Amino acid sequence: MQAYGEFTKLTQQMALADQRKDTKTLQALSPKADTLTQRLGPDYVRLMDGLDQMDENSSAGKEFAAAFDSLGKQCK
């Protein structure tokens, strides 16, 4: 759970840096993201890859969104 919370915060920081075109920050955060991804494991990576292909407005997409919202609340 801790790794997921850290990864969520890190991806938010990376998205902000990307919006600002801050390549130096992105380069600094990228190895941390890689380390956390390894801690979360290959199943997490496969899940995220699969979610990219899912329609977020479908019933399954909404269920996954609700589950991740619940996980995110536990990280705060």
Side-chain angles (χ1 to χ4, degrees):
M1 197 62 208
Q2 180 182 354
Y4 176 76
E6 290 174 23
F7 186 74
T8 300
K9 290 175 187 174
L10 187 63
T11 56
Q12 291 170 351
Q13 292 172 354
M14 291 176 78
L16 183 60
D18 187 45
Q19 284 179 341
R20 295 179 178 171
K21 307 288 189 230
D22 185 353
T23 56
K24 188 181 286 188
T25 299
L26 282 170
Q27 289 175 346
L29 295 176
S30 184
K32 294 176 185 179
D34 292 342
T35 299
L36 287 170
T37 300
Q38 289 176 352
R39 283 178 50 200
L40 289 166
D43 290 338
Y44 177 79
V45 174
R46 282 192 295 274
L47 174 64
M48 291 296 105
D49 289 344
L51 288 178
D52 287 342
Q53 299 171 12
M54 182 179 289
D55 178 4
E56 62 187 43
N57 294 316
S58 69
S59 61
K62 290 177 183 178
E63 285 182 47
F64 274 104
F68 280 105
D69 286 343
S70 177
L71 282 175
K73 289 176 185 174
Q74 293 179 34
C75 291
K76 296 179 181 182

